[in-house]
Amino acid sequence: MGHFKYKNGVLFCENVSLEEIAHTVGTPFYCYSSAHLRERFNAYEAGFAGRKHIICFAIKANSNLAILSCLGHLGAGADIVSGGELFRALRAGIKREKIVYSGVGKTAEEMEYALENDIAMFNIESMEEMALLSKIAENMGRKAPVSFRVNPDVDPKTHPYISTGLKKNKFGLSMDQALAAYKRAAADKWLSIKGIDCHIGSQIIEMSPFIDAFRRLRKLIKEMAKMGISISYVDIGGGLGIAYREESPPEPGDYISAIMEEAADMDQAFIVEPGRSICGNAGVLVTKVLFTKENGSKRFYIVDAGMNDLGRPSLYNAYHEIRPVRKVEKEGVSETDIVGPICETGDFLARSRPMPRLTSGSLLSVMSAGAYGFAMSSNYNSRPRAAEVMVYGGRFHVVRNRESWRDLVAGEIVPGEGC
Ligand SMILES: *Cc1c(COP(=O)(O)O)cnc(C)c1O
């Protein structure tokens, strides 16, 4: 898998051994490859082949400052969904004019913060949101740049929890509502129409839903032009999938060139909001076997990372490949559940996986964990969140310290009332 390869029987990230990192920082930890981020970002770049564009990394997939800074250096913008993500983007040095703000539930405070910082545009998802933004813009005496998120009602053929572009989902405006919304915005002197936006779901591994959605968007843009509403940005969202197992999603460059072909007669700048397809296979979660346990014919490896560290298996029944960090003879292979220490039956990283015999202390690498991994982690069961490490060729840096027990209680107050 790209930059995670065995050398002399030990799994490396680029030129650094995961064993070496484990000895230095302990387990569990997330490890990211900067080379992978660079390659994936550049693959998107190549697809645009000279067309005006911004690649806005979807921060929610992985919001570590080192990741954002690495992508920012390459020229990435950001797709944010909260004030906190805007704070991170600015901290990491991402250019404000390359930041787009998505999400169905922006608060007044968040809107003010984003307006003050002069971001590229707000992707508006409802009429009430538009009204609030207009009011805030008026109070601040500055126009708000907007685009509307439209819902093209195409089936992305992905997991229902991560499909967003269907009429039954909470996101965006329907195609018919959109025209009315643009009319209203055009008449509002505190809003300035910049673009149009859509995002149909995540982990999409076929081209057709993207093409269908884009054609619908293009049709709408033509109708808008007839009404005298012109835009300068077309935001096609994120959602391109990655290979977790045997999937073969389109390469970013091929995906973008296919869309650019569809857009041959359009002169707008394009925005794409990739998250998973940039960082998903840039990261792994390394964990240690604590105990082996047999219940009848079933074997369990109890490891020191759980659903609080990586929630995708429990949440979506997602598949993550699991590799021993040190290759072992394939003897004693049997169906094994790899489970965490959390007190929930749903706390597993893998189920019924053929695994070789390992002993306590063995390290395992949970692959494809760079997106929606650490970003979705929690302190459930009062477990400190894992350390994060980034590899740059032959060097590695801790980019987030492992939390301590003190960190866990840092914001808590005992009022001194007794009880
Ligand atoms: C989640 C999200 C993305 C990124 O999705 P990926 O599947 O990680 O590429 C992009 N845009 C919006 C609006 C999102 O909600």
Side-chain angles (χ1 to χ4, degrees):
M1 201 165 274
H3 293 278
F4 295 89
K5 288 198 183 106
Y6 285 101
K7 295 185 189 174
N8 295 323
V10 177
L11 195 58
F12 272 61
C13 173
E14 300 185 33
N15 297 319
V16 180
S17 136
L18 294 178
E19 253 180 14
E20 183 196 336
I21 301 175
H23 287 147
T24 317
V25 310
T27 54
F29 66 90
Y30 276 93
C31 175
Y32 310 120
S33 156
S34 61
H36 185 91
L37 295 176
R38 204 159 50 239
E39 275 175 25
R40 299 296 284 183
F41 182 84
N42 289 337
Y44 270 98
E45 277 291 331
F48 283 105
R51 302 281 297 257
K52 286 176 289 181
H53 69 279
I54 314 175
I55 300 167
C56 291
F57 175 62
I59 292 191
K60 76 175 195 277
N62 189 322
S63 56
N64 186 284
L65 289 179
I67 299 256
L68 304 184
S69 158
C70 169
L71 293 168
H73 273 103
L74 298 171
D79 170 48
I80 59 166
V81 293
S82 69
E85 287 191 352
L86 176 52
F87 179 76
R88 283 179 177 278
L90 297 171
R91 266 283 172 109
I94 290 182
K95 297 217 163 72
R96 57 192 62 198
E97 68 273 16
K98 291 185 178 180
I99 297 176
V100 299
Y101 192 170
S102 305
V104 288
K106 306 174 185 82
T107 66
E109 293 74 19
E110 288 175 317
M111 288 177 180
E112 273 168 28
Y113 177 43
L115 266 176
E116 265 163 25
N117 281 288
D118 228 359
I119 63 164
M121 72 187 89
F122 293 82
N123 290 338
I124 303 281
E125 303 218 17
S126 67
M127 298 310 281
E128 287 198 6
E129 182 189 341
M130 179 184 94
L132 178 60
L133 181 61
S134 165
K135 205 174 94 201
I136 289 169
E138 180 174 7
N139 291 344
M140 293 174 67
R142 62 206 295 176
K143 277 191 165 200
V146 296
S147 78
F148 286 97
R149 174 167 177 177
V150 300
N151 191 332
D153 200 25
V154 298
D155 184 354
K157 301 174 189 137
T158 185
H159 191 288
Y161 283 13
I162 48 180
S163 130
T164 58
L166 286 168
K167 272 193 179 143
K168 63 180 182 197
N169 299 130
K170 72 178 173 183
F171 300 99
L173 301 170
S174 71
M175 302 298 264
D176 358 312
Q177 288 170 326
L179 279 179
Y182 275 102
K183 267 191 209 157
R184 292 261 299 270
D188 187 322
K189 67 174 183 167
W190 294 106
L191 300 177
S192 135
I193 294 172
K194 294 286 178 196
I196 192 162
D197 161 55
C198 81
H199 171 74
I200 57 174
S202 202
Q203 185 53 14
I204 299 168
I205 54 172
E206 289 172 42
M207 264 316 290
S208 59
F210 288 119
I211 300 279
D212 289 352
F214 186 76
R215 288 184 179 157
R216 291 184 191 193
L217 212 58
R218 190 179 59 191
K219 192 161 158 253
L220 183 62
I221 295 168
K222 299 217 156 115
E223 282 172 47
M224 283 159 51
K226 279 186 217 145
M227 287 166 36
I229 295 168
S230 68
I231 54 171
S232 34
Y233 290 98
V234 180
D235 182 342
I236 58 176
L240 183 64
I242 59 168
Y244 284 98
R245 197 173 191 173
E246 277 139 10
E247 305 91 336
S248 48
E251 285 300 313
D254 296 337
Y255 154 57
I256 297 296
S257 356
I259 299 285
M260 290 303 101
E261 240 167 74
E262 293 286 321
D265 61 343
M266 297 169 70
D267 60 358
Q268 288 92 351
F270 289 86
I271 294 177
V272 63
E273 303 170 345
R276 189 190 315 266
S277 55
I278 298 268
C279 62
N281 274 326
V284 299
L285 170 64
V286 177
T287 179
K288 188 173 73 183
V289 176
L290 298 173
F291 306 110
T292 301
K293 184 170 167 176
E294 319 257 346
N295 281 354
S297 63
K298 187 118 208 170
R299 183 169 66 191
F300 295 89
Y301 289 150
I302 298 159
V303 299
D304 67 358
M307 63 189 288
N308 68 301
D309 295 299
L310 180 66
R312 300 188 68 257
S314 316
L315 259 178
Y316 315 119
N317 207 19
Y319 179 97
H320 285 266
E321 192 189 333
I322 299 198
R323 295 189 191 171
V325 168
R326 183 169 281 271
K327 257 191 187 160
V328 284
E329 294 304 317
K330 283 263 174 353
E331 60 186 47
V333 171
S334 74
E335 301 257 304
T336 306
D337 283 10
I338 293 130
V339 300
I342 300 273
C343 301
E344 297 277 349
T345 306
D347 179 27
F348 63 91
L349 298 176
R351 274 179 164 162
S352 302
R353 206 57 77 73
M355 291 292 293
R357 186 172 297 127
L358 299 171
T359 50
S360 83
S362 303
L363 298 173
L364 292 174
S365 176
V366 185
M367 311 307 289
S368 310
Y372 307 105
F374 186 91
M376 289 174 84
S377 66
S378 80
N379 293 119
Y380 186 42
N381 279 207
S382 284
R383 298 179 52 79
R385 280 180 295 172
E388 290 177 286
V389 167
M390 183 109 123
V391 170
Y392 303 81
R395 295 185 306 281
F396 75 91
H397 295 276
V398 173
V399 294
R400 192 181 210 272
N401 289 320
R402 181 181 311 290
E403 285 178 339
S404 67
W405 289 336
R406 274 185 184 278
D407 292 333
L408 292 179
V409 295
E412 295 177 32
I413 295 154
V414 179
E417 294 265 9
C419 203

